Amino acid sequence: MASADFNRSVFVNCPFDHEYEPILQAMLFCIVFLGFTPRIATERSDSGENRLAKIKELIESSRYSIHDLSRCQARTAGEHYRLNMPFELGLDYGCKAYFPAADRKKVLILEEKPYRYQAAISDLAGFDIETHEADYQVAVRKVRNWLANEARGRSDGAGRILDAYDDFQEWNYERQCAAGFSEDDILDYPTSELLTAMFDWTKAGRPASY
């Protein structure tokens, strides 16, 4: 993966379940397409590394952060709230609030549905929370608009990014098949390798096919 730089790094704090995966992958692609480096807990998988220490390092080394609170609500009886996402948002907010060197940090908070987060974290009332409706295309639009506004970088439209994402997916699928990956292998593709593929595709000139 590309070397990380504070001013071009985007920490992504989100669910890692199978249902959320299309949204996560599309957001990661959007970030890479616009010239930034996503930082995410699954970018490396050293079992001996303390997870909280890793999250702290990722937050401190990223000027931009995206926090999706879509799983703060239990979906079935007996299911617990998933508190990792709001906890990491709190770490990020504390980093920005209490360390003067981090005052340039920018944060985007996402949710699946409007206003639902207030029942779980009422302290966020008054914050600008963006919703994606569990639609990866909407999520790409929200991330694109936020980065274009806060980072003043590339201004490619969401439509162009989504078209490029289709090209990348075809290119990466063909490349994986050529490398001997089975369908099950492709479905279980590690995040670190997916990010590497996104950067490789960019370096290759963003081809429509492999």
Side-chain angles (χ1 to χ4, degrees):
M1 196 174 70
S3 59
D5 170 73
F6 175 77
N7 289 310
R8 307 300 292 178
S9 292
V10 183
F11 172 63
V12 180
N13 166 31
C14 67
F16 292 127
D17 56 74
H18 181 71
E19 184 179 349
Y20 189 84
E21 194 168 340
I23 299 174
L24 170 60
Q25 293 182 0
M27 289 197 305
L28 293 177
F29 178 84
C30 178
I31 293 167
V32 172
F33 185 90
L34 293 174
F36 295 84
T37 301
R39 307 302 310 279
I40 188 167
T42 53
E43 70 179 38
R44 55 186 191 257
S45 55
D46 181 1
S47 298
E49 184 176 21
N50 179 277
R51 180 180 175 84
L52 186 56
K54 175 167 63 174
I55 294 299
K56 177 175 175 289
E57 182 269 321
L58 293 174
I59 288 173
E60 291 175 349
S61 62
S62 302
R63 181 173 183 181
Y64 305 97
S65 298
I66 298 171
H67 301 269
D68 194 329
L69 306 181
S70 296
R71 298 294 188 268
C72 288
Q73 184 180 46
R75 295 185 170 186
T76 60
E79 181 183 2
H80 294 287
Y81 292 116
R82 301 188 192 179
L83 299 178
N84 284 345
M85 279 73 74
F87 177 72
E88 291 173 24
L89 170 59
L91 288 177
D92 200 8
Y93 184 80
C95 180
K96 176 180 171 64
Y98 298 117
F99 293 93
D103 63 357
R104 294 179 296 150
K105 288 174 65 67
K106 303 292 183 179
V107 175
L108 170 65
I109 304 176
L110 296 173
E111 236 282 26
E112 180 179 327
K113 300 177 181 179
Y115 309 115
R116 185 175 61 175
Y117 65 91
Q118 292 181 359
I121 313 177
S122 59
D123 285 348
L124 290 179
F127 280 71
D128 291 328
I129 312 296
E130 297 286 350
T131 57
H132 53 63
E133 305 161 23
D135 185 327
Y136 78 91
Q137 295 181 328
V138 176
V140 165
R141 190 173 299 113
K142 299 297 184 180
V143 170
R144 177 265 165 210
N145 291 346
W146 175 68
L147 281 175
N149 181 62
E150 295 295 343
R152 307 295 182 185
R154 294 183 52 155
S155 57
D156 301 77
R160 176 178 293 174
I161 297 170
L162 289 166
D163 286 344
Y165 185 47
D166 289 338
D167 291 341
F168 164 74
Q169 288 180 306
E170 181 175 351
W171 173 88
N172 193 42
Y173 180 80
E174 292 174 356
R175 187 174 78 154
Q176 288 173 312
C177 289
F181 283 79
S182 68
E183 292 289 342
D184 289 340
D185 293 334
I186 293 172
L187 290 174
D188 195 30
Y189 204 53
T191 304
S192 58
E193 290 188 58
L194 180 65
L195 284 172
T196 297
M198 291 176 180
F199 286 112
D200 288 346
W201 177 80
T202 301
K203 292 175 183 177
R206 300 176 176 175
S209 60
Y210 182 64

